Amino acid sequence: MSAFLQQLPALIGVVIGALGSYLAVVRGDRARFQREQAARWDERKLAVYADYARTLKKSVTLAYRTASHFGIDRHPHPLTPEEALPLLTEATIARDPAGEALILLGSPEVVERARTWVVVLLEMEAFLRAGTRDQAAWQALVDRQRGGREGYYAAVREDLALPPGHSARWPLAPAAQNPPGQR
């Protein structure tokens, strides 16, 4: 029995060491799992955020093209309201599921910024349906839409811990006063 008692401290040390190693491995695995899970959710959120932005941008581009038909926007590819209607309907239908995914996975700040952006888009669409030709009012809506988009992207970057990005406000050359070739 005395030999057993002499080896007991070593045996206790081995048991404690094995238990410590087990706990360290379990803790490390749990931390790795949580990191991987967070990365997967961030990837899903980024896909949802980008999809929603893409659907809104499609509607915005259609609004620009329709406004160009009315002579209040400089988009190079004007669309008549009749040509735009089925495209706008399709874009609106695509926007609904993208919006639901955004509400499901998005942070409250991103969802609020998305709401701000889409409300301005809805105002732009109503402006065009009314057939308004007020270029200054249209430009105010365009500026608000760009601000809404910028706010949405800033909220997305903050939610995903991305570095600040470009504002996407590119200055355009002023429209020519006279047609090409005339002075």
Side-chain angles (χ1 to χ4, degrees), residues 71-167:
I72 56 174
D73 194 282
R74 296 186 314 170
H75 196 283
H77 306 288
L79 272 179
T80 67
E82 295 77 24
E83 293 171 322
L85 185 60
L87 299 172
L88 283 168
T89 301
E90 180 183 312
T92 300
I93 290 169
R95 192 167 61 219
D96 287 342
E100 291 301 317
L102 178 75
I103 291 169
L104 180 64
L105 294 179
S107 74
E109 179 66 20
V110 170
V111 172
E112 180 57 30
R113 295 297 183 104
R115 186 196 64 77
T116 301
W117 188 15
V118 78
V119 164
V120 176
L121 172 60
L122 295 173
E123 291 174 18
M124 292 171 77
E125 290 173 349
F127 181 93
L128 294 170
R129 277 193 306 276
T132 310
R133 307 288 197 287
D134 183 351
Q135 189 166 13
W138 174 254
Q139 189 58 50
L141 282 170
V142 168
D143 290 342
R144 284 183 47 219
Q145 181 277 139
R146 288 179 178 156
R149 180 183 65 176
E150 190 175 340
Y152 174 76
Y153 287 150
V156 166
R157 286 187 203 101
E158 184 177 325
D159 184 44
L160 298 176
L162 299 172
H166 192 280
S167 70

Side-chain angles (χ1 to χ4, degrees), residues 49-65 75 88 91 95 117-118 121 124-125 142 145-146 149 152-153 168 170:
Y49 291 163
D51 186 46
Y52 187 74
R54 202 173 10 263
T55 61
L56 252 62
K57 189 59 179 163
K58 183 175 183 177
S59 295
V60 167
T61 300
L62 290 169
Y64 288 165
R65 292 179 69 189
H75 196 283
L88 283 168
R95 192 167 61 219
W117 188 15
V118 78
L121 172 60
M124 292 171 77
E125 290 173 349
V142 168
Q145 181 277 139
R146 288 179 178 156
R149 180 183 65 176
Y152 174 76
Y153 287 150
W170 297 302

